[in-house]
Amino acid sequence: MTVLASTGVLSYGKQSAKGTAATTWYRHRATDIDFGPVQTMAAIPLEVGGTVVPTGSYKQGAFVAGGATLHPRMEGDFGWIMEGLMGSVATSAGPVSDTYDHTFKFATDNASLPWMSVRKYVPGSSTMGEVGVDCKVASVTMSFPQNGIMQARVDWLGITPSWETNPSWTYSDGFEDYTSIPVTSQTDCSITLPEFSASELPVTALTVTMTNNLTTPQQEMVIGSQHPDDFAVVSRAATIRATVKWSDPDLYRTLYTGGTGGVAWSDACYYSDFKALVQSPYNIVGTTPYELVINASNVAWQIDGPVRLAGGDLLMLNLMGTVVEEDAGGDNYLDFVTRNGQVNYS
């Protein structure tokens, strides 16, 4: 019997506390889901006593890991992932009635992340549910292609796995449809380095990655427990990669020499802010579209490889930016602002 994966479901929810599974669940369509339990095993060491092969194995413990590749909907449910990624969310009124702007950024304690529960529904003649409790978002990579739809890769790391047979799960709402997915060909979409130039960069590909480096399952194993004890944030970093269609050498020379007319290499790094705006072709209400804005206040930029001259090809400039701290508190590091019709994330 062949079982198709298309009726599977990824769902997730914010926990009220560590050790308490989520009670409200949200689901999101995905192109690939590889979240699930992981168990570690080891062989009994070779011993003196008459044999040259392993005599047995034992289980060391279990946890949950993995994630999903999806096309984010700005309508609402993706925001719970963004809060898990960044740590906090603040909501304000949008530009017109019944629209809201949600700013996802670091919490005041910039190492603080909420606990989440994550589930995967596995179809078949006897369906199965895989559940992970006490999960944290380890990373999200957002990709913006030429005149295409936004894509994101989300990864979680969690403490406790469990299973359900023929689960009858319920969700807060239905699957959100395609209408709120950002499409990069929308005319109001733009990529800028405002401190370098108010003009838009002619970007042909953009990737933004936010990583929360967590303690590893092995580090968190303690005697007397079969699951990790915790997952703490040891560092956080955001990187930006962009391919820019070459129009003039101004940005290239600025990054190497410190100025558009520089002729000698400068030992000073070049810093600029960064802003990316993408929109859906469909509207929340009236003429106000769904929207995502990414703001980084202080980015160290470098050229990612030499300018390549190739016959029959365009001239491109590859950039890589590392987002660095601007203020002592660190909460003004990076933010993601979504505009939709959802009232809040409380």
Side-chain angles (χ1 to χ4, degrees):
M1 172 181 160
T2 299
V3 178
L4 299 180
S6 57
T7 55
V9 181
L10 170 74
S11 58
Y12 45 83
K14 182 181 177 181
Q15 297 181 188
S16 60
K18 182 183 178 185
T20 303
T23 56
T24 304
W25 295 86
Y26 307 89
R27 49 186 166 174
H28 201 293
R29 296 185 188 275
T31 58
D32 178 73
I33 305 167
D34 60 11
F35 176 87
V38 179
Q39 65 178 9
T40 57
M41 296 177 58
I44 301 297
L46 293 175
E47 301 169 297
V48 176
T51 182
V52 294
V53 299
T55 56
S57 297
Y58 63 98
K59 289 186 177 182
Q60 298 172 308
F63 56 96
V64 288
T69 301
L70 44 85
H71 298 295
R73 276 73 170 161
M74 296 298 108
E75 185 177 337
D77 290 350
F78 185 68
W80 297 101
I81 294 176
M82 295 307 300
E83 184 181 4
L85 172 70
M86 299 304 293
S88 74
V89 56
T91 298
S92 59
V96 299
S97 180
D98 296 325
T99 66
Y100 302 89
D101 290 347
H102 311 281
T103 302
F104 302 92
K105 61 188 296 185
F106 286 1
T108 303
D109 173 3
N110 56 39
S112 174
L113 295 175
W115 293 102
M116 300 185 71
S117 299
V118 184
R119 305 186 304 198
K120 183 175 69 179
Y121 177 87
V122 182
S125 56
S126 175
T127 61
M128 180 183 71
E130 295 179 333
V131 183
V133 175
D134 292 338
C135 301
K136 288 186 176 180
V137 178
S139 68
V140 173
T141 296
M142 300 181 182
S143 302
F144 305 89
Q146 293 171 298
N147 58 351
I149 60 175
M150 175 186 173
Q151 178 177 284
R153 168 68 195 188
V154 184
D155 281 286
W156 287 274
L157 189 59
I159 292 176
T160 309
S162 63
W163 292 260
E164 294 186 29
T165 301
N166 295 322
S168 55
W169 290 344
T170 59
Y171 308 93
S172 175
D173 53 14
F175 280 115
E176 296 174 345
D177 66 21
Y178 69 94
T179 56
S180 64
I181 302 174
V183 179
T184 59
S185 58
Q186 291 301 107
T187 56
D188 284 338
C189 296
S190 62
I191 313 295
T192 56
L193 308 183
E195 292 176 27
F196 171 75
S197 173
S199 300
E200 297 177 20
L201 288 178
V203 174
T204 62
L206 174 70
T207 301
V208 178
T209 300
M210 179 66 217
T211 302
N212 298 319
N213 293 305
L214 307 172
T215 49
T216 67
Q218 185 59 45
Q219 287 176 310
E220 290 288 356
M221 289 294 186
V222 298
I223 293 174
S225 176
Q226 297 172 332
H227 309 295
D229 180 60
D230 195 0
F231 286 118
V233 176
V234 294
S235 66
R236 309 181 73 177
T239 56
I240 303 166
R241 292 182 180 272
T243 301
V244 181
K245 187 177 178 182
W246 184 283
S247 56
D248 59 52
D250 287 357
L251 181 57
Y252 172 87
R253 293 181 71 170
T254 297
L255 267 57
Y256 271 120
T257 70
T260 57
V263 295
W265 176 75
S266 171
D267 60 0
C269 295
Y270 179 75
Y271 296 90
S272 173
D273 52 357
F274 167 84
K275 180 178 180 179
L277 184 155
V278 290
Q279 293 181 336
S280 162
Y282 295 89
N283 298 322
I284 310 165
V285 293
T287 59
T288 303
Y290 296 94
E291 182 176 282
L292 169 67
V293 179
I294 305 173
N295 297 295
S297 57
N298 199 28
V299 185
W301 293 100
Q302 61 178 304
I303 305 299
D304 190 15
V307 176
R308 183 182 179 191
L309 304 178
D313 204 354
L314 302 179
L315 192 56
M316 297 290 188
L317 179 65
N318 292 318
L319 301 179
M320 184 175 73
T322 301
V323 184
V324 299
E325 183 183 66
E326 182 182 47
D327 59 344
D331 58 347
N332 189 31
Y333 178 75
L334 176 74
D335 64 60
F336 299 86
V337 183
T338 61
R339 176 171 293 164
N340 55 33
Q342 180 151 323
V343 176
N344 57 53
Y345 285 94
S346 61

